[in-house]
Amino acid sequence: MRPGFQIRSGRPGDARRLAVLATQVWLHTYATDGVTDEISAYVLSEFTVERFLASLGEPATSLLVADHDGCLVGLAVVRFGAPCPSGARSTVELQTLYVQEHFIGQGIGRSLLPAAEAEARERSASSLWLTANAGNSRAIAFYADQGYAKIGTTHFVLGDARHENHVLLGSVA
């Protein structure tokens, strides 16, 4: 990772930047065929300043950011008390791990993930589970390199479309 990056807990003052960062990464990853009405509705309802402020104040959520000289370039959201849909004993979900495209390959994800895993170990002595879009080969390869294994499938529903996701589980804490 380049000098000047730090992984830290998110703060309420980050909410606006988190909303924009999440929107940018999500659109780059999932709106590969353009922006539909369903995509627009989802982004405008999910990635809001208010939602990030609520997450930052939620005791069952830990939000970590990658900060590069005051600019946010990545985020990880860990949700506690979230049962794994594939029946694994973990109840800690890595709900989100986003890195801005310009910073991929610079160690941001490889720094955010262990920080999220440390949160899971400290607060619940549990490994993390997550879902990754089955078509996102870069993310699936990243998690496999970090020791995550596919333990099932689930679907993300957007409008009338169902998108297959792999359920992945990290090593036992």
Side-chain angles (χ1 to χ4, degrees), residues 60-91:
T61 300
S62 177
L63 199 151
L64 303 166
V65 299
D67 184 316
H68 174 54
D69 297 330
C71 297
L72 300 187
V73 297
L75 69 111
V77 179
V78 180
R79 203 168 51 111
F80 296 87
C84 180
S86 291
R89 293 179 53 173
S90 175
T91 59

Side-chain angles (χ1 to χ4, degrees), residues 99-111:
V99 176
Q100 190 178 32
E101 182 70 21
H102 305 299
F103 292 89
I104 288 177
Q106 297 180 33
I108 306 281
R110 291 185 190 273
S111 295

Side-chain angles (χ1 to χ4, degrees), residues 6-140:
Q6 67 171 337
I7 304 302
R8 63 171 174 79
S9 294
R11 302 184 284 249
D14 296 326
R16 185 181 0 222
R17 291 179 291 160
L18 287 165
V20 173
L21 175 62
T23 298
Q24 182 186 37
V25 173
W26 196 91
L27 286 171
H28 182 82
T29 304
Y30 297 104
T32 56
D33 293 327
V35 178
T36 64
D37 283 337
E38 290 86 5
I39 286 173
S40 298
Y42 181 81
V43 167
L44 292 173
S45 69
E46 294 298 315
F47 302 126
T48 67
V49 173
E50 295 77 20
R51 283 202 182 233
F52 278 101
L53 283 170
S55 289
L56 288 162
E58 172 61 44
T61 300
S62 177
L63 199 151
L64 303 166
V65 299
D67 184 316
H68 174 54
D69 297 330
C71 297
L72 300 187
V73 297
L75 69 111
V77 179
V78 180
R79 203 168 51 111
F80 296 87
C84 180
S86 291
R89 293 179 53 173
S90 175
T91 59
V92 184
E93 177 188 14
L94 179 62
Q95 187 175 35
T96 304
L97 178 65
Y98 288 168
V99 176
Q100 190 178 32
E101 182 70 21
H102 305 299
F103 292 89
I104 288 177
Q106 297 180 33
I108 306 281
R110 291 185 190 273
S111 295
L112 281 166
L113 184 58
E117 291 169 335
E119 288 277 326
R121 279 192 308 276
E122 289 169 18
R123 289 181 55 179
S124 73
S126 179
S127 56
L128 290 174
W129 68 268
L130 62 99
T131 61
N133 184 291
N136 190 344
S137 58
R138 181 167 63 185
I140 292 168

